[in-house]
Amino acid sequence: MTVSLEQLRRCHVAVDLGAARTRVYVKGAGLVVDEPSVAAVNTRTGALIAVGTFAERMTGRTPDYIRVVRPVSGGTVVDIEMAQRMLRHLLGEKLRRALRRKPRLRAAACTPHDADPLAQRAAVETLVGLGARRVELVDTLIAAAVGCGLPVEQPTATMIMVCGAAATQVAVLSLGSIVTAERIPVGGEAIDHAVVQHLRHAHELMLPSQAVRPLQLALHGNGITPDGPASTLIHGRDVATGLARSVHVDTAAVRDAIHTPLTAVLDGIGKVLRDCPPDLVADLTDKGIMMVGGSALLPGLDQMLRDSTGMPVAIAERPDVCAVLGLGAMLEGKIAPMVLNPLAE
């Protein structure tokens, strides 16, 4: 962990700026913001038109003078000014006024495991622009492990897999620190892209960008597992004629298209286990892998990991908000560190 629990207890607000969603936890109030990391801007006037859910619904449906932007990409803030404007509107005037009353506002933020100093600086600058006097950075892997109730501070191995929109992070934790970790540049967006490309090549059908996730939800449960339905009806636009068309898509083919990019995730898990000490790997035989993140709910992903690794795989109770809830638990002082008394000489 990049910061001590004592420092985190002094923070007033925790922010998880993700590529897909932005979440804000306020000490004493709980989770107050859980919205898509999207903003719509009028390019003629520079005015902010919409943020969050409403801005996401505008994607692909706007005239030329309205631009839909995502200020966070791959877990890194790429547009600090736009990220600040988006956060201000998501928080609302009432909550921002309450935070401004804090004499020395402290904030905590999640950062990817391998975030470079420039990415860390961007996260700090974003929160400083909102009035924070001090910003503490916490590794997303540790925050997510705390949020889903794993015994991070114990001298036993816990393996966590954070399935994000832009990347997947896998790590083995012990004694409150990361023993070994790997970041794989395959996430929910890569899986969505694989589905879109499959429908384009196999059926000459262009699927709207906002229809990919509903398609996956329609196949949820046993949808893309061998026990699921054989086909499902998909609506889209014909590549050649441009007219609306509906086709019956074979779910087995969709399953194969989705599993293709996930082979990189399996390779990353294998690398983490190879770099891990044998004693910790032995612990993982019983405990297995805990999956968190919005893409952890992809149907059939947990079963594929079980078949490939031979280890138990569990999905957290609220996988999409584990990271910010873990930060919130640290802010509230709910996590007690294991005290190691040095031996007297």
Side-chain angles (χ1 to χ4, degrees):
M1 195 182 300
T2 55
V3 62
S4 69
L5 288 173
E6 188 59 39
Q7 290 173 305
L8 285 172
R9 288 195 192 100
R10 299 174 190 160
C11 294
H12 306 96
V13 60
V15 179
D16 179 15
L17 277 170
R21 298 184 76 86
T22 294
R23 300 175 177 94
V24 180
Y25 185 103
V26 175
K27 195 173 186 177
L31 188 63
V32 295
V33 173
D34 185 4
E35 293 279 342
S37 303
V38 188
V41 186
N42 187 327
T43 56
R44 295 174 181 172
T45 63
L48 202 61
I49 297 173
V51 295
T53 304
F54 186 54
E56 187 178 49
R57 284 179 14 217
M58 296 167 67
T59 304
R61 295 184 168 93
T62 60
D64 292 340
Y65 66 92
I66 295 178
R67 187 165 57 99
V68 178
V69 297
R70 292 182 177 271
V72 185
S73 176
T76 303
V77 179
V78 293
D79 188 339
I80 296 175
E81 182 187 355
M82 188 55 65
Q84 290 173 350
R85 295 175 68 184
M86 180 187 73
L87 269 175
R88 286 192 196 102
H89 282 78
L90 288 177
L91 287 172
E93 182 61 34
K94 183 178 179 182
L95 186 55
R96 278 190 290 131
R97 196 181 302 120
L99 291 175
R100 279 198 299 265
R101 293 196 192 104
K102 306 289 184 184
R104 286 187 60 83
L105 180 63
R106 288 173 174 247
C110 289
T111 56
H113 171 64
D114 59 348
D116 54 38
L118 194 61
Q120 295 179 3
R121 184 68 181 172
V124 171
E125 289 291 335
T126 300
L127 297 184
V128 167
L130 294 175
R133 298 294 185 89
R134 184 181 175 91
V135 179
E136 310 289 359
L137 299 179
V138 179
D139 198 302
T140 302
L141 291 164
I142 293 180
V146 171
C148 61
L150 292 178
V152 181
E153 72 282 356
Q154 298 300 318
T156 57
T158 53
M159 190 169 189
I160 188 164
M161 178 174 164
V162 179
C163 309
T168 300
Q169 301 177 72
V170 184
V172 175
L173 312 175
S174 180
L175 287 172
S177 298
I178 295 173
V179 178
T180 177
E182 187 73 17
R183 183 178 184 271
I184 306 106
V186 174
E189 293 173 354
I191 295 169
D192 293 349
H193 182 71
V195 173
V196 170
Q197 290 301 310
H198 166 73
L199 292 175
R200 186 184 181 96
H201 294 148
H203 300 278
E204 296 185 349
L205 192 74
M206 290 185 67
L207 195 66
S209 59
Q210 297 182 29
V212 180
R213 197 48 56 92
L215 166 62
Q216 294 180 4
L217 292 175
L219 299 175
H220 199 59
N222 292 326
I224 58 171
T225 59
D227 300 328
S231 65
T232 184
L233 187 65
I234 302 297
H235 307 285
R237 190 181 78 182
D238 190 279
V239 172
T241 64
L243 301 176
R245 185 161 64 92
S246 301
V247 296
H248 283 278
V249 177
D250 181 18
T251 51
V254 175
R255 180 169 66 246
D256 293 339
I258 286 177
H259 284 186
T260 300
L262 292 177
T263 53
V265 176
L266 296 177
D267 293 341
I269 293 175
K271 186 176 186 306
V272 168
L273 292 174
R274 285 194 299 272
D275 295 342
C276 192
D279 291 343
L280 294 180
V281 175
D283 292 343
L284 296 174
T285 306
D286 298 327
K287 297 188 175 182
I289 306 171
M290 177 65 76
M291 294 174 60
V292 301
S295 300
L297 296 173
L298 182 70
L301 176 57
D302 53 343
Q303 188 58 47
M304 187 189 76
L305 292 179
R306 288 190 196 98
D307 296 341
S308 303
T309 63
M311 295 192 301
V313 178
I315 301 176
E317 186 177 348
R318 299 180 64 187
D320 50 342
V321 294
C322 276
V324 73
L325 291 182
L327 272 183
M330 297 178 196
L331 262 61
E332 303 280 5
K334 296 179 180 177
I335 307 301
M338 188 175 67
V339 179
L340 297 175
N341 295 321
L343 297 174
E345 294 184 0

